[in-house]
Amino acid sequence: MPGMRWTEAHIPTLRETPAEAEIASHRLMLRAGLIRKLSSGTYSYLPLGQRSLSKVIRIIREEMDRSGALEVLLPALQPAELWKRSGRYELMGPEMIRFKDRHGKEMVLGPTHEEVITSLVSGELRSYRDLPKTLYQIQVKFRDEPRPRFGVIRSSEFLMKDAYSFDRNEAGLNANYQKMLEAYRRIFERCGLAALPVEAETGFMGGSDSHEFMVPAASGEDTVVRCSGCAYAASKEKAAAQLAKPVQEGSPCPKCGKPLALLAAIEVGHIFKLGTKYSAKLEALFLDEDGKEKPFVMGCYGIGVTRILAAVIETRHDDFGIQWPAEVAPYPAVIVPINLSDAKTRQAAEDLYQGMAQAGLEVLLDDREVSGGVKMKDADLIGFPIRVLISEKTLQKSSVEVKLRCEKETSLVTPAEAISLVKNRLDKGSSPVG
Ligand SMILES: Nc1ncnc2c1ncn2[C@@H]1O[C@H](COP(=O)(O)OP(=O)(O)OP(=O)(O)O)[C@@H](O)[C@H]1O
Ligand SMILES: [Mg+2]
Ligand SMILES: [Zn+2]
């Protein structure tokens, strides 16, 4: 049964605005009962938060699989020795969580997985015939952030989708990189995010080309530049490196010279052409057609899975609450019977609920004995894309009242029409353009 009754669910909405939350998405995730804080930088996902998170994960999985990538799962617990071999044990600094196990062996909690995947693949892929291959996982990462903040936007433990491509040569890497760029576009679009790919620096990952996917938002910790004259878009750091001086509003575009505009953004994804940096260091070699052993030419591709949820909310909300896109909403629709002591209303709500469930729709029936006002406030706060209201008044016209969360108008429709409306909304969401 895909539906759920409110009284059997756990949806602890809060009236008050939590004091510690600085930005809208953090406030709303707490208020709508999606997450709860355990300690600085760590969060539990409550049932509604977990539902949306699973939907984001499903989208990512579908698009990764569509691109031909293969899902794996790597250990979060890693020997320090591997990081010493790649040269990043020192480089990572205090962000990497380090400790000794009971035998005194130095261990770390994985902040990222280039080392692990490279060492795995060196034993698994041996010939050019095994290439190209792209492996990905959706897994928890640990980073002892100097300043965890904004809820799940910057936390110390978070979910990442990380993918790694292995090729014989640069041409193969370039093709894989392009494929991933397209997969990322589809993922973010399906999640309802206006993510802009921008040229980025490679930082401590190393390698040549890199793009970040940036969601413009006033609260964003990153700054991107866009050219007013051409398609150039880059991170502020990248633009500064290209211009060899600090960038400010109006600085000349490195490509065409027209003025640059600055905008704040949230980084939701980052892809890199690594080349042979890790494979050479860790001696991950394959036998090429010419009989020579060569290091894999690698790419790596990250998405902040939990950060996506916050970025969606940060860019899709109003004064009353979240405005979920249908594909990642915890439930695409809520049924709100206004007066449950009215037998007709109760029956009509129950019938619609059963009808939607039979149509395979994940609908929430607000069967609480509370006022219509409270129900509607909560529906707006949680942000169900479609609200179906049933009252004695609507039933006099043999109808129910449908309202889309992102529109003001309501319309009276038959229960059957309400069902196909929710269905259409979902179908529209799952067929991305481009
Ligand atoms: N502390 C964090 N909490 C939640 N998500 C994160 C965090 N750090 C990184 N991410 C997400 O993981 C993705 C891939 O990780 P990557 O190592 O490229 O991030 P990063 O460059 O360290 O990000 P940032 O500059 O925000 O610290 C990022 O694009 C981001 O969406
Ligand atoms: Mg970081
Ligand atoms: Zn330009």
Side-chain angles (χ1 to χ4, degrees):
M1 172 96 174
M4 174 63 81
R5 292 167 200 276
W6 199 299
T7 53
E8 292 170 6
H10 178 64
I11 309 176
T13 56
L14 309 174
R15 290 280 152 261
E16 252 86 287
T17 298
E20 84 263 25
E22 298 168 68
I23 62 171
S25 57
H26 189 191
R27 281 196 290 274
L28 288 170
M29 287 183 87
L30 292 167
R31 283 193 55 210
L34 304 182
I35 57 168
R36 290 291 180 260
K37 178 174 164 175
L38 174 64
S39 66
S40 173
T42 60
Y43 290 86
S44 304
Y45 288 80
L46 295 179
L48 285 198
Q50 174 60 18
R51 282 185 74 87
S52 281
L53 190 57
S54 331
K55 292 183 178 188
V56 170
I57 291 172
R58 188 174 72 195
I59 291 173
I60 293 174
R61 207 168 253 145
E62 281 175 9
E63 296 300 339
M64 281 296 117
D65 293 349
R66 189 209 298 261
S67 81
L70 307 170
E71 187 168 3
V72 295
L73 184 59
L74 308 172
L77 194 57
Q78 308 172 3
E81 185 267 334
L82 189 54
W83 288 81
K84 289 181 179 165
R85 276 208 282 147
S86 76
R88 286 209 295 183
Y89 190 68
E90 301 306 327
L91 218 64
M92 287 294 296
E95 206 166 295
M96 188 151 75
I97 297 176
R98 303 152 202 248
F99 59 96
K100 284 191 179 140
D101 72 8
R102 63 169 68 196
H103 307 292
K105 189 172 161 190
E106 289 180 300
M107 304 295 291
V108 312
L109 292 180
T112 175
H113 279 74
E114 284 76 18
E115 280 76 1
V116 173
I117 195 93
T118 308
S119 95
L120 170 71
V121 157
S122 74
E124 300 295 326
L125 306 177
R126 300 185 168 281
S127 150
Y128 70 94
R129 289 192 196 86
D130 299 329
L131 303 176
K133 282 276 179 323
T134 299
L135 305 177
Y136 78 97
Q137 63 169 347
I138 295 167
Q139 193 222 26
V140 64
K141 300 283 188 253
F142 297 89
R143 293 184 185 179
D144 193 353
E145 293 279 353
R147 206 178 154 207
R149 62 184 197 146
F150 299 160
V152 301
I153 288 208
R154 184 168 301 285
S155 46
S156 312
E157 178 183 328
F158 60 97
L159 268 190
M160 195 198 284
K161 184 288 298 175
D162 44 328
Y164 307 87
S165 64
F166 298 89
D167 275 283
R168 296 169 68 183
N169 51 34
E170 288 291 323
L173 169 60
N174 291 342
N176 255 326
Y177 190 86
Q178 203 53 40
K179 231 197 255 175
M180 236 4 116
L181 210 102
E182 293 312 319
Y184 272 43
R185 283 186 205 277
R186 282 197 298 272
I187 288 168
F188 295 127
E189 182 176 330
R190 287 179 64 183
C191 290
L193 282 174
L196 178 72
V198 308
E199 293 178 33
E201 293 218 282
T202 48
F204 76 92
M205 282 294 177
S208 54
D209 266 348
S210 168
H211 283 85
E212 285 169 340
F213 283 78
M214 296 292 207
V215 176
S219 65
E221 293 179 290
D222 287 286
T223 306
V224 302
V225 305
R226 285 183 93 164
C227 178
S228 54
C230 71
Y232 178 80
S235 70
K236 195 179 173 190
E237 298 77 25
K238 178 75 178 181
Q242 286 169 330
L243 287 170
K245 62 178 182 215
V247 176
Q248 41 194 314
E249 191 74 31
S251 287
C253 167
K255 279 224 177 104
C256 75
K258 295 260 168 59
L260 293 173
L262 264 55
L263 75 168
I266 302 168
E267 178 192 322
V268 287
H270 200 167
I271 62 180
F272 302 83
K273 288 183 189 171
L274 294 174
T276 56
K277 178 179 159 164
Y278 295 90
S279 47
K281 278 234 166 77
L282 299 172
E283 289 171 63
L285 312 172
F286 69 97
L287 199 61
D288 208 352
E289 209 168 358
D290 58 11
K292 290 195 178 121
E293 285 208 307
K294 296 176 187 170
F296 296 107
V297 180
M298 293 173 55
C300 79
Y301 316 89
I303 287 185
V305 181
T306 37
R307 187 181 281 184
I308 282 184
L309 270 194
V312 169
I313 297 171
E314 197 59 33
T315 53
R316 287 173 164 261
H317 69 270
D318 62 12
D319 291 346
F320 306 105
I322 303 168
Q323 297 176 308
W324 286 114
E327 237 196 311
V328 293
Y331 293 90
V334 61
I335 300 172
V336 180
I338 288 302
N339 177 14
L340 280 174
S341 52
D342 174 51
K344 269 191 178 161
T345 302
R346 183 182 280 271
Q347 190 57 48
E350 188 64 32
D351 290 348
L352 182 59
Y353 175 61
Q354 296 294 343
M356 286 202 176
Q358 264 153 33
L361 299 172
E362 302 169 356
V363 65
L364 188 68
L365 172 62
D366 193 347
D367 58 345
R368 291 177 296 170
E369 302 277 354
V370 298
S371 75
V374 165
K375 290 183 183 184
M376 287 191 275
K377 270 214 174 79
D378 275 346
D380 279 349
L381 173 60
I382 294 164
F384 306 99
I386 299 176
R387 184 189 80 191
V388 186
L389 190 143
I390 303 179
S391 68
E392 291 165 65
K393 238 177 162 174
T394 68
L395 290 177
Q396 272 165 19
K397 294 182 182 152
S398 315
S399 329
V400 298
E401 182 206 273
V402 167
K403 183 182 173 297
L404 303 185
R405 177 63 180 83
C406 50
E407 282 170 20
K408 275 209 165 69
E409 306 80 52
T410 59
S411 53
L412 286 178
V413 301
T414 65
E417 285 168 338
I419 294 175
S420 46
L421 217 138
V422 176
K423 240 193 160 125
N424 289 341
R425 193 87 186 162
L426 278 174
D427 291 345
K428 209 175 75 191
S430 60
S431 55
V433 281

